Amino acid sequence: MTGITRREFNALAAGVGVAALTELPRPALAAGPAKIVVIGGGPGGAAVANRLKSADATLDITLIEPKVKYTTCFYSNLYLGGFRTFKSITHDYEGVKKRGITVLTDTATGIDTTAKKVTLAKGPTLTYDRLVVAPGIDFKWDAIEGYSPEAAKIMPHAWQGGPQTWLLKEKLLALPDGGLVVMAVPQNPYRCPPGPYERACMIAHFLKTKKPKARLVLFDAKKTYSKQAVFEEAFNEYYKDIVEINLTNEIDDFSVIKVDAKTGVVTTKAGRTERAALANIIPPQKAGAIAASASLTEGDWCPVNPENFTSTKAKDVYVLGDAAIANEMPKSAYSAVSQAGVVSNDIIADLQGKPRTAGRFRNTCWSMLAPDNSAKIGGDYVPATKDGRAYLEIKDGFISKPDDSAELRRQVNEESADWYQTIIEDLFDEPSQQVTLPNFRNP
Ligand code: FAD
C-alpha cells in the first residue's frame, strides 16, 4: 500500500505526472474569471468540476445535474448481491458545493455552441467560456419491441443508478422461490462491458443464498465478452445449476428483440422465448439526449479528439465519460475520471494560452464474482492513429486469469473496495483528507 495525497491520486487517475499537475500555473484572464459550465454530475462531470476548482479556485464553475443524490452504477451489482446497502452507493453534492462549485439541480435543455449558451429547464440561460458535456447514456427505446420507459417499471434495466437499481432489488426480494430471472444483454458498445456478467454473478449469489430453487437465464447479443474466461470459471464453480448463459453463435442469435411486460415473455432473434418472473432488460444505448440535440453526436455517440476530449463537432466544448467515443477505452467510471483529469488540464492550459499536451489515460474495471473473489481488467490508453484517424489505443493491458489463486482474488476484491471508497471521496467529499491508495495495477 502506498500513502499518497488526493492530489496525487487525481494526477495518477488522469495519467499525468504529479509534478506536471502541481506545476500548472494559475490562469490569468483579463476579463475576470473564466466561466466553465459542466453538464452532468456523474463521475465525468463531477471530476472535471473538482479538478478545475482545485487547479484554480477563482474559476467560475457551474455543474448542472437534475438529481439531488447520485446512486452509482458501479457497485450497484454488489447491492443486488447483498454485499452493499443502497445508502452506501448513494451520494449527495454537498461536498462538491463546499469546494466552491455552483451546483444547479436542473436539466440542460439546449446548447447553442455559436452563442456559447446553455438553456435550462428551470433556471436562467447560462453563458460559458468552456463547456463540458458529460450526460452519460440514454437508451435506444425502439431497439426492443415492447420495451419502453413504462415497460422498464416492470422489467427494470437498472443500467442507470437510482430508482431503477432499487426496483430491481425489490423485484429480486419479491421473486418466488423457483421463479425464473431473465437478463437481456446488448451488443457493444454499452456502459461497463463486464457489468452484465458481474450482475449475473451477483443475482446468482442472491438466488443461491435466498431463493435456492430459482434460476437465471441470460440472453446475449454478443458472441464473446469482457473477462469471459474468469466469468465462465465462476459460473461453473459457484452457480452451475443456477445460471444459463446464452451467447450468440453462428447458428443462434440470442439478441432479445421483443418483450411483453404484461406476460413476462422475452423473445430472442433465434426465436427462443422464456416467461420471466423477473426480467432485467439492458437495452442498447446511446449518448445522453442533450448531446444529440446539440449536434455533438455522430451516430449514437460523440466524436472527440483523443488527446484532450475536445468535441470534433463544436469549438470550446469537451465531451467525456460514457457519451464520448473513446475507442478502446471502455465506458466506465474509472475511464470517466481519468478523462476528467486530462480535460481539466487542457482547459487550464487553453485558457492561459499555454502549450496543450496530449493526455495519457488509464482504466481498471473490477468485477465481483463471489464473496472475497473479484477479477479485474485494465490498461493505459494513449492517442494514436489508426486507418488515418485519431484513435485511443490500449497499452500495457492486464487481465485476471482463470487459475489465479484464491489469495490473489481476495486481494483484488479488497483493492476494488479501496477504489470505490477513494473515487467516492474524490468525487463527492470535501477535499481535505489524505487517501491511501493501493497500487491498482500490480496487486
Ligand atoms: P453518468 O454516471 O451517467 O452521469 C451522467 C449524469 O448526467 C447523470 O447523473 C445524469 O443525471 C446527468 N445528465 C444527463 N443529461 C443531463 C442534462 N441534460 N442536464 C444535466 N444533467 C444531465 N464503472 C467502473 O469504473 N467500475 C465499475 O465497477 C462499474 N460497474 C458498473 C456496474 C453497472 C451495473 C453499470 C450499469 C455501470 C458500471 N460502471 C462501472 C460504469 C459507470 O457507472 C459509468 O461508466 C459511469 O457512471 C459514467 O460516468 P458519466 O459521468 O459519463 O455518466
Side-chain angles (χ1 to χ4, degrees):
M1 305 277 273
T2 321
I4 69 167
T5 64
R6 180 185 309 280
R7 195 169 170 78
E8 287 163 337
F9 165 67
N10 294 347
L12 236 178
V16 298
V18 172
L21 194 74
T22 49
E23 283 163 12
L24 271 178
R26 294 161 62 84
L29 292 169
K35 284 188 167 56
I36 317 287
V37 172
V38 180
I39 298 176
V48 168
N50 292 341
R51 298 283 184 283
L52 285 169
K53 201 67 189 173
S54 29
D56 191 296
T58 67
L59 288 175
D60 178 354
I61 304 170
T62 303
L63 177 69
I64 309 160
E65 166 60 52
K67 297 194 286 269
V68 175
K69 289 192 176 180
Y70 179 88
T71 300
T72 60
C73 278
F74 36 114
Y75 266 49
S76 66
N77 287 331
L78 277 62
Y79 164 62
L80 300 177
F83 296 94
R84 289 268 164 164
T85 61
F86 191 75
K87 195 170 169 217
S88 77
I89 58 167
T90 302
H91 311 279
D92 64 32
Y93 290 93
E94 294 312 306
V96 177
K97 289 178 193 165
K98 284 189 182 140
R99 297 176 196 223
I101 293 159
T102 304
V103 179
L104 298 182
T105 307
D106 211 331
T107 302
T109 50
I111 304 170
D112 181 337
T113 53
T114 309
K116 298 177 96 171
K117 287 185 174 163
V118 176
T119 46
L120 304 179
K122 296 186 290 188
T125 297
L126 304 174
T127 56
Y128 65 81
D129 294 301
R130 297 294 179 277
L131 175 67
V132 179
V133 181
I137 56 159
D138 260 300
F139 298 109
K140 296 169 85 170
W141 291 109
D142 54 355
I144 299 175
E145 188 184 335
Y147 201 60
S148 64
E150 277 307 301
K153 292 177 187 159
I154 299 164
M155 299 176 150
H157 51 75
W159 220 244
Q160 282 167 328
Q164 277 279 312
T165 318
W166 177 267
L167 183 64
L168 181 55
K169 181 66 183 267
E170 290 302 294
K171 285 185 175 286
L172 274 172
L173 290 166
L175 184 78
D177 198 3
L180 177 66
V181 183
V182 176
M183 279 183 72
V185 181
Q187 189 52 265
N188 291 318
Y190 61 90
R191 158 175 286 181
C192 194
Y197 315 96
E198 178 186 58
R199 176 168 290 176
C201 287
M202 292 295 95
I203 289 180
H205 174 80
F206 173 85
L207 300 181
K208 189 174 172 178
T209 49
K210 306 279 187 222
K211 320 260 175 182
K213 293 191 208 124
R215 284 173 58 246
L216 167 66
V217 171
L218 184 148
F219 292 130
D220 202 329
K222 301 185 299 301
K223 293 180 175 171
T224 59
Y225 62 90
S226 174
K227 282 186 271 194
Q228 186 167 342
V230 284
F231 278 116
E232 284 178 344
E233 181 192 50
F235 292 138
N236 265 323
E237 188 175 339
Y238 300 105
Y239 314 117
K240 200 168 179 46
D241 299 321
I242 302 172
V243 173
E244 175 192 320
I245 306 288
N246 296 286
L247 296 180
T248 289
N249 55 56
E250 298 311 324
I251 301 160
D252 291 322
D253 186 334
F254 286 107
S255 311
V256 166
I257 55 163
K258 188 174 168 185
V259 297
D260 184 337
K262 283 205 184 80
T263 61
V265 173
V266 175
T267 307
T268 70
K269 201 166 182 181
R272 179 158 159 201
T273 60
E274 289 289 350
R275 186 178 294 268
L278 166 56
N280 171 212
I281 306 297
I282 306 168
Q285 295 149 36
K286 59 184 180 180
I290 186 70
S293 73
S295 304
L296 296 174
T297 49
E298 213 168 76
D300 292 331
W301 307 99
C302 301
V304 294
N305 295 303
E307 68 274 13
N308 57 11
F309 279 64
T310 44
S311 168
T312 61
K313 305 290 242 178
K315 193 170 175 308
D316 296 333
V317 177
Y318 294 74
V319 183
L320 78 161
D322 287 358
I325 299 172
N327 310 121
E328 293 179 11
M329 195 173 190
K331 297 184 187 302
S332 77
Y334 196 121
S335 292
V337 172
S338 178
Q339 292 157 11
V342 171
V343 165
S344 52
N345 285 349
D346 195 74
I347 289 175
I348 298 275
D350 185 26
L351 288 173
Q352 296 177 56
K354 302 265 173 183
R356 296 159 76 181
T357 50
R360 288 182 64 84
F361 305 85
R362 176 172 286 184
N363 179 59
T364 306
C365 280
W366 290 267
S367 301
M368 190 167 180
L369 309 169
D372 286 328
N373 185 347
S374 288
K376 65 179 177 177
I377 186 168
D380 293 335
Y381 298 83
V382 292
T385 305
K386 190 176 178 187
D387 302 329
R389 295 187 64 145
Y391 189 77
L392 257 189
E393 73 176 13
I394 190 165
K395 285 267 184 257
D396 304 327
F398 57 92
I399 185 168
S400 296
K401 295 182 185 59
D403 53 357
D404 284 342
S405 70
E407 174 55 19
L408 181 55
R409 292 286 182 77
R410 193 194 57 73
Q411 284 175 25
V412 173
N413 187 56
E414 273 184 13
E415 184 187 294
S416 164
D418 285 345
W419 168 76
Y420 187 83
Q421 190 182 336
T422 306
I423 189 174
I424 292 308
E425 287 175 3
D426 181 44
L427 292 175
F428 298 110
D429 285 359
E430 292 173 54
S432 50
Q433 332 83 301
Q434 278 222 320
V435 291
T436 303
L437 188 73
N439 181 348
F440 290 144
R441 285 182 58 89
N442 303 302

